[in-house]
Amino acid sequence: MTRIFSGIKPTGHLTLGNYLGALRRWVEVDQHRADSLFSVVDLHALTVEHDPARVRRLSRQAASLMLAAGLDPELCTVFVQSHVDEHARLSYLLECTATDGELRRMIQYKEKGTRARAAGQSVRLSLLTYPVLMAADILAYGTDEVPVGEDQTQHVELTRDLAVRFNQRYGHTFTVPKATHPPVAARVMDLQDPTSKMGKSHESGAGIVYLLDDADVVRKKIMRAVTDSGREVEYDREGKPGIANLLEMLAACEGGNPIDLAGVYESYGALKEDTAEAVVELLRPVRERHAELAADPGHVDEVLRKGAERARGMARPRVDAAYAIGLLPR
């Protein structure tokens, strides 16, 4: 069976972008067609300044939302990254395989490092090396496919390079994975800045629809979305990014085509109203199920405990085999 690994970083509240770009596909497609592992990758949240209590709180919330969205522990493995020591063990071995130059070329390191320096903060070494930890996340499980957004493709390419290099130097140990990209709404854009991705850690939440926003808040955010000059509703990603974003959101919610939907509307207002209602209805069952899970934290803890146990059993033999790098076997 094809094996899939993907994760969510608990650096902010999960958004509509996380749902349409990743979670929904995990639920509707990936957990049914493959041996799938989905992780709250909490170690990755430590690469920048953070509040420990907030990371723990967001980790639990992310796990609960993954389950609320429909991930079934009977069909897939849901766990927290830091609960499986093999991730950190393998990460160091891969650091001994990676080079300084290829890590410094990572786009996200350059961007986040620049922002940290501009804010007067030091840049943590882990920000440079976390793509190697991401590679360990993937390679530890013999992963075949990694469903990611376009912004993570570079990291999967690094993972492939490290796997090939390790295999050539120390004997075949790792499966060389490939990145896969969801076909629709892989990048939902910020409602106030439709040229930027809807990110969960953005300073202002005005343009972000969070999964736990109540219905009235969702409606207000979408009705206040930035639009473009002119009055004609047309799908033009470059010329009318605000309208294109709304059309893509509506298409993703209802299963339509943004180009076809553009011909249905004669005003921006009508498009906003329909998009708002479609998003509210899409997220309603997720919010309701999350409320049930939040009232029963013991159930979530048990799912994560069993998931970590299962993940550990999958990862340990392969990570032990990676000791061929020059270490005495355990």
Side-chain angles (χ1 to χ4, degrees):
M1 227 180 150
T2 298
R3 181 162 289 174
I4 288 174
F5 177 92
S6 197
I8 286 179
K9 185 163 57 175
T11 51
H13 301 288
L14 299 191
T15 72
L16 177 66
N18 297 127
Y19 183 78
L20 292 177
L23 267 175
R24 187 168 68 170
R25 180 176 175 83
W26 295 357
V27 169
E28 296 180 354
V29 179
D30 292 335
Q31 70 173 341
H32 298 285
R33 73 176 181 87
D35 182 7
S36 301
L37 298 101
F38 301 112
S39 180
V40 179
V41 287
D42 54 344
L43 294 175
H44 291 292
L46 310 184
T47 60
V48 294
E49 293 293 329
H50 62 275
D51 171 32
R54 185 171 186 267
V55 172
R56 286 190 290 269
R57 185 170 64 252
L58 289 175
S59 295
R60 175 174 291 281
Q61 184 185 93
S64 298
L65 280 168
M66 289 161 68
L67 298 174
L71 288 183
D72 183 349
E74 297 298 319
L75 297 175
C76 64
T77 304
V78 181
F79 68 104
V80 175
Q81 177 193 31
S82 63
H83 292 177
V84 180
D85 294 344
E86 278 64 30
H87 290 255
R89 285 177 58 206
L90 181 56
S91 182
Y92 180 74
L93 302 184
L94 294 178
E95 283 184 18
C96 297
T97 309
T99 68
D100 175 79
E102 59 193 349
L103 294 183
R104 292 189 185 278
R105 287 194 293 272
M106 294 290 108
I107 294 171
Q108 290 202 18
Y109 169 71
K110 294 179 180 179
E111 292 177 347
K112 291 182 179 180
T114 299
R115 287 200 297 269
R117 294 185 189 96
Q121 300 173 350
S122 59
V123 179
R124 300 187 180 195
L125 179 61
S126 55
L127 186 63
L128 175 65
T129 60
Y130 95 88
V132 180
L133 175 58
M134 181 176 172
D137 298 338
I138 296 165
L139 297 179
Y141 298 101
T143 302
D144 299 295
E145 296 180 10
V146 189
V148 292
E150 293 290 344
D151 58 331
Q152 293 291 332
T153 299
Q154 188 184 34
H155 291 160
V156 180
E157 288 304 313
L158 173 67
T159 301
R160 291 171 55 85
D161 291 343
L162 294 179
V164 169
R165 189 179 306 157
F166 194 101
N167 289 344
Q168 290 175 341
R169 291 179 179 176
Y170 309 113
H172 185 80
T173 308
F174 301 117
T175 300
V176 180
K178 66 177 181 179
T180 59
H181 306 289
V184 179
R187 285 177 67 87
V188 178
M189 313 307 281
D190 191 291
L191 294 169
Q192 292 299 311
D193 179 9
T195 62
S196 299
K197 183 180 176 182
M198 185 181 284
K200 58 181 179 292
S201 55
H202 197 281
E203 291 182 6
S204 170
I208 303 171
V209 175
Y210 296 106
L211 297 189
L212 295 180
D213 281 343
D214 65 37
D216 288 341
V217 171
V218 172
R219 292 187 184 98
K220 286 178 182 177
K221 288 181 176 180
I222 294 177
M223 293 306 295
R224 293 172 180 171
V226 168
T227 51
D228 312 290
S229 59
R231 297 182 178 179
E232 186 176 355
V233 177
E234 57 184 350
Y235 182 69
D236 181 353
R237 201 10 120 181
E238 296 297 322
K240 290 193 170 186
I243 293 302
N245 189 36
L246 291 170
L247 287 167
E248 288 187 356
M249 288 169 60
L250 180 58
C253 290
E254 298 187 342
N257 181 293
I259 297 175
D260 294 338
L261 286 171
V264 173
Y265 293 95
E266 297 182 356
S267 71
Y268 292 175
L271 172 61
K272 286 183 174 182
E273 288 177 0
D274 283 1
T275 302
E277 291 308 313
V279 172
V280 166
E281 290 308 311
L282 179 75
L283 299 184
R284 189 187 305 281
V286 178
R287 289 175 51 240
E288 291 174 351
R289 177 58 179 151
H290 178 268
E292 295 173 0
L293 291 168
D296 185 12
H299 172 70
V300 176
D301 287 343
E302 183 65 8
V303 168
L304 296 178
R305 186 192 65 77
K306 289 182 177 178
E309 184 177 300
R310 190 185 309 161
R312 199 176 300 118
M314 294 182 197
R316 182 163 293 172
R318 191 168 288 100
V319 176
D320 285 348
Y323 273 42
I325 196 172
L327 305 177
L328 290 173
R330 291 159 64 93

